[in-house]
Amino acid sequence: MFKRALLVVLALLLLALAALWWALQQHPSLAPYADLHWKAPVGSGPPAPLKVTFLGVSTVLLDDGETALLTDGFFSRPGKLQTFLGKVEPDQQAIAQGLERAGLTGKTGTLAAVIPVHSHYDHAMDAPEVARRTGALLLGSPSTANVGRGAGLPEAQIRIAKLGEPLRFGRFTATLYPSRHAPTGFTGGEITEPLHPPVRASDYKEGQSYALHIEHGGKTLLIVGSAGFEPGALRGVHADVVMQGIGALGPRPESYRDALWTEVIAAVGARRVIPIHWDDFWQPPGQPMQPMPPPLDDFDASMAYLRARGNREGVDVRLPLEWLPMDVWAGLAQSR
């Protein structure tokens, strides 16, 4: 009798695991958001000298033809089983292919800095190798510095950011403001010593999260890599466009979404919001981006909120192009 009961329990457990695995392979469709897909506004003029390219998760490339900045630089995308059950490390081939696809191969010196917005593996793991291959500065928190040291990056290429300090890279002015990760089981923690991969994905602790403010020729942009915020941190900061991480926003209550909008988008007076960090970062490199599966997020709830709030407050909401440059200020009046 006991053996039969045990077999029934094991069978039910296997069925539950199979159902969960099946659910993790399902992705919300992007079709309902066709009206939000990026389209350059009619009459937007000649190609902009400053290009912004979304490369997945919260990796964003800014390039004015002379100088480039890159947030995160995450290209490896280890699969679910490796992430949950094994160890992760930078995929050298994926990084090389990602840099080539982004147009950063053979342009040593063009990429001035790679800036992880926090130190989880899907943000900071590849950054030291990106810096090594391009000669860029690795700029971030003490935790990110320890990711760089563990990867053997020379100390001369590592810089710990000071909150609120404007840094000049070519014609870019970059300023890092405090932020927070979305409230999940992975929030918090510091990397207190050099981290030598391969390691568990959970060993990449958050460290300090940032909201990265960019100013270039009067144009302003804020990149927030997670659906979190530091209350009051952006008071007095202006940005015409916000590239806002929405991963894990969907399951949060309406009150949390309202607070995020108030503390980030409304606080900086944004007139356009471009959602990032919505794609399934376990998808292999090079595949079309798909939203995170429902067991882990609620992409549709996030987009429904952004669409409704944007319509109500006159804020333009656009899903970004994938791996194609955008003039994210096109169609907006000149920054005040």
Side-chain angles (χ1 to χ4, degrees):
M1 190 70 168
F2 175 77
K3 285 185 177 180
R4 181 176 297 175
L6 181 60
L7 287 173
V8 169
V9 170
L10 288 173
L12 291 173
L13 179 60
L14 288 173
L15 283 173
L17 289 173
L20 176 60
W21 187 253
W22 178 86
L24 288 172
Q25 313 311 311
Q26 310 309 306
H27 299 89
S29 173
L30 290 170
Y33 311 103
D35 61 315
L36 303 183
H37 289 176
W38 183 267
K39 301 179 186 68
V42 175
S44 57
L50 176 54
K51 297 178 175 62
V52 179
T53 309
F54 174 54
L55 309 182
V57 197
S58 56
T59 293
V60 177
L61 175 64
L62 302 101
D63 191 346
D64 67 2
E66 298 176 359
T67 307
L69 299 177
L70 184 69
T71 58
D72 294 359
F74 178 64
F75 302 110
S76 290
R77 293 178 169 260
K80 297 181 182 71
L81 285 178
Q82 182 181 354
T83 301
F84 291 137
L85 303 178
K87 295 183 177 183
V88 297
E89 63 183 330
D91 181 330
Q92 301 295 330
Q93 182 178 1
I95 293 170
Q97 291 173 345
L99 291 174
E100 182 176 8
R101 188 179 179 190
L104 293 171
T105 300
K107 296 171 67 176
T108 301
T110 299
L111 185 64
V114 54
I115 310 171
V117 294
H118 60 266
S119 301
H120 284 158
Y121 84 96
D122 55 317
H123 299 265
M125 183 175 76
D126 293 350
E129 183 60 26
V130 171
R132 187 193 334 273
R133 288 171 180 258
T134 61
L137 182 71
L138 176 64
L139 175 66
S141 69
S143 292
T144 290
N146 277 323
V147 175
R149 294 179 183 121
L153 190 68
E155 199 69 31
Q157 276 184 261
I158 299 172
R159 180 168 178 175
I160 295 176
K162 293 181 181 178
L163 292 170
E165 177 186 35
L167 298 172
R168 191 79 176 178
F169 299 100
R171 289 179 287 171
F172 290 96
T173 299
T175 309
L176 290 161
Y177 293 96
S179 187
R180 296 181 185 176
H181 192 273
T184 69
F186 301 102
T187 302
E190 301 282 342
I191 303 171
T192 57
E193 57 187 25
L195 191 64
H196 302 281
V199 294
R200 297 283 184 186
S202 58
D203 290 332
Y204 286 90
K205 306 298 183 184
E206 176 189 354
Q208 174 67 59
S209 281
Y210 298 111
L212 172 62
H213 184 268
I214 297 292
E215 189 279 331
H216 186 289
K219 295 179 177 180
T220 51
L221 169 68
L222 188 73
I223 301 174
V224 185
S226 182
F229 57 90
E230 182 72 39
L234 297 174
R235 192 174 293 119
V237 177
H238 173 73
D240 290 310
V241 180
V242 174
M243 300 186 79
Q244 174 66 59
I246 63 169
L249 179 63
R252 306 272 77 78
E254 189 87 354
S255 59
Y256 182 87
R257 299 175 203 160
D258 286 341
L260 176 70
W261 185 282
T262 299
E263 290 287 349
V264 180
I265 295 155
V268 301
R271 290 173 289 158
R272 175 169 292 150
V273 175
I274 301 173
I276 59 174
H277 206 334
W278 47 264
D279 55 310
D280 182 350
F281 47 75
W282 294 300
Q283 290 289 105
Q287 289 195 3
M289 296 178 199
Q290 299 185 73
M292 188 65 75
L296 301 173
D297 200 0
D298 191 339
F299 175 75
D300 291 324
S302 297
M303 293 305 299
Y305 177 85
L306 292 175
R307 190 201 296 267
R309 189 75 186 256
N311 286 340
R312 190 163 71 244
E313 300 193 11
V315 175
D316 186 37
V317 177
R318 303 280 191 101
L319 279 169
L321 295 174
E322 302 173 12
W323 288 86
L324 292 172
M326 301 173 288
D327 174 5
V328 299
W329 298 273
L332 298 179
Q334 180 65 31
S335 175
R336 66 173 180 264

